[in-house]
Amino acid sequence: MLNVCLFGKLSVCRDAKPLASFEAGKLQELFGYLLLHRHAPQPRETLAELFWPAQPAAHARKHLRQALWHLQSSLRHGLGAGQPELPEFLEVDADWVQITRASDLWVDALAFEEVFSQVRDVAGNLLSPAQAASIKQAVEWYQDDLLINCYEDWCLFERERLRHNLLTMLDKLMVYCGQARRFEEGITYGERILTCDQAREHTHRELMRLHYLAGDRTAALRQYRHCEQILWTELGVKPARHTSQVYEQVCADCLEIATTPPKPANANDTSTTQPMLELLTHFQGLCQAFAALNHTLAHELKELEIRLRERH
C-alpha cells in the first residue's frame, strides 16, 4: 500500500517506510496536482505551461517529460533494490497524463474529500454517530494546510477550498456535540476553527453556548468580549444582534438550547400536502391549456401553408 500525505509537507510512504527521491519540490507539486485532479486526464501542454511558465514551450515540454520519468521511477523503485515494484499509478500518453485509480493508493486529502462529500448536506444536529465518527477521523487527517511549501496559484486555490471544507466539518461537529451534551469536546472543535479564522462570528456564538451549557458562565462572557474585540479590530464592526442576544441571555442566566433535532414533516399533515395538491392541479391545468394552444397553432399553420401553395 502506498500512502501519500498532502496535508502539510508532502510525504510518500510504502508500508510505513518513506520513499526516496521525493525531495524535489517540483516533483512533489506535480504529483500533488495530478492526485487532486485525478478525475480527468491532464493535457501535457497544460501541465508544461502551469509548472514551467517562464520557459519556452519546447523547454517546458522537455522539463515535463523529465519530471514524469522521475515521478514514475520514484513510484516504482522508491524503496531501493530488492523490493518488489509497485503497480503503475500513472497513465502517460503522448498528449495527456492521469493518476490511475489503483486500490493500492491511499491519499489523506482524497479520503478527507470523500468524507466531506458524504456529509456535506447533513446538518450537524442530524448527524448519525457513524457520520460524526467519520468526520472526526477526517479532521484528524488534516494536520496542516495543503502542501505548505507550495505557493503556486493552483495550490493556493485548492488549499483554501480544503480549509473551507475543514471548517464546515468542524462546525458540524460542534453542533453535534452540543446536541449530544458533550460540551467540552464541542469547545475543542470551536477553538480549532478560530485558529483558522478568528473572526468567524457564528463560531464565537456557538462557543458561548457551549461554555455556558458546560457550566462555565464566565468563559461564555469572555468569549463574547473576545468576539467583540476581534470583529472590531479585523473588520471594524460590532457583533450581530443574534450574537448580542446570546450574550444577554448568558448575562441573565437564561440561555437554553434545544437538544432535539427538528421534527421531520408528517406525511399525513394536510397543512403541507394540501397546498402541494393545489399547486399540482394548477400545473396540470396549465399543461392542458398549453397542449390545446399548441394544437390550435399547428392547425392554423397548416391552413396557412395550404393557402400559400394555392396562390403559387
Side-chain angles (χ1 to χ4, degrees):
M1 173 67 73
L2 192 69
N3 288 354
V4 183
C5 293
L6 297 181
F7 289 129
K9 183 180 178 181
L10 183 141
S11 67
V12 183
C13 298
R14 181 184 183 187
D15 301 327
K17 297 179 181 179
L19 263 65
S21 305
F22 259 96
E23 295 302 318
K26 194 66 70 174
L27 196 65
Q28 293 183 1
E29 293 175 16
L30 177 61
F31 190 35
Y33 181 90
L34 290 172
L35 286 169
L36 292 169
H37 296 82
R38 66 202 177 282
H39 293 306
Q42 300 301 308
R44 280 176 174 264
E45 293 294 333
T46 300
L47 294 174
E49 293 176 5
L50 182 64
F51 286 94
W52 293 273
Q55 297 287 333
H59 290 180
R61 289 193 295 269
K62 179 182 177 181
H63 287 308
L64 177 61
R65 286 194 302 272
Q66 292 173 340
L68 289 172
W69 184 87
H70 284 297
L71 181 55
Q72 287 179 305
S73 178
S74 298
L75 291 173
R76 287 175 185 163
H77 314 292
L79 289 178
Q83 295 291 339
E85 289 192 6
L86 287 164
E88 291 288 352
F89 293 106
L90 273 180
E91 290 183 7
V92 180
D93 187 78
D95 299 316
W96 55 267
V97 182
Q98 186 175 17
I99 294 287
T100 60
R101 295 183 176 86
S103 59
D104 292 328
L105 178 65
W106 183 88
V107 184
D108 57 355
L110 306 189
F112 175 89
E113 287 192 281
E114 178 63 25
V115 173
F116 178 75
S117 68
Q118 294 171 358
V119 301
R120 179 193 295 116
D121 301 322
V122 183
N125 62 337
L126 297 178
L127 288 172
S128 69
Q131 289 172 322
S134 295
I135 297 177
K136 290 177 185 179
Q137 178 62 75
V139 299
E140 287 178 9
W141 290 328
Y142 198 112
Q143 294 298 310
D144 206 334
D145 285 335
L146 178 76
L147 296 172
I148 56 172
N149 294 329
C150 180
Y151 300 98
E152 300 298 329
D153 288 343
W154 68 265
C155 186
L156 297 177
F157 173 82
E158 292 293 334
R159 185 179 298 161
E160 187 60 30
R161 181 180 66 82
L162 289 168
R163 184 186 295 163
H164 173 78
N165 293 349
L166 170 70
L167 298 182
T168 299
M169 289 202 283
L170 289 171
D171 277 335
K172 293 178 186 293
L173 284 178
M174 280 187 72
V175 175
Y176 175 82
C177 289
Q179 291 287 119
R181 307 192 68 80
R182 286 148 52 177
F183 306 124
E184 296 293 345
E185 184 180 351
I187 289 169
T188 63
Y189 294 127
E191 290 174 343
R192 183 174 175 183
I193 292 173
L194 293 183
T195 62
C196 299
D197 182 3
Q198 59 180 346
R200 201 173 172 92
E201 185 174 354
H202 72 269
T203 300
H204 285 282
R205 190 163 57 238
E206 188 64 26
L207 278 171
M208 289 166 60
R209 293 190 178 102
L210 292 173
H211 280 302
Y212 180 83
L213 292 174
D216 196 341
R217 181 167 173 262
T218 301
L221 296 172
R222 285 175 178 163
Q223 192 69 51
Y224 176 80
R225 295 301 182 194
H226 180 54
C227 172
E228 189 178 43
Q229 178 184 4
I230 289 296
L231 290 178
W232 183 253
T233 301
E234 291 202 2
L235 306 175
V237 299
K238 295 181 179 180
R241 181 57 187 162
H242 190 188
T243 306
S244 299
Q245 287 174 342
V246 174
Y247 170 71
E248 291 164 3
Q249 290 170 356
V250 172
C251 288
D253 201 18
C254 64
L255 178 64
E256 293 183 2
I257 299 183
T259 57
T260 319
K263 184 179 179 181
N266 187 342
N268 297 322
D269 186 358
T270 57
S271 65
T272 57
T273 57
Q274 187 62 33
M276 290 299 297
L277 289 174
E278 292 176 356
L279 181 61
L280 179 60
T281 301
H282 180 65
F283 178 73
Q284 290 173 336
L286 287 174
C287 289
Q288 292 172 356
F290 179 77
L293 178 61
N294 187 52
H295 178 75
T296 301
L297 288 173
H299 179 70
E300 291 181 353
L301 286 172
K302 187 66 175 178
E303 289 185 347
L304 179 59
E305 183 181 356
I306 293 172
R307 293 196 197 101
L308 289 173
R309 287 179 181 175
E310 290 175 350
R311 288 182 180 179
H312 290 83

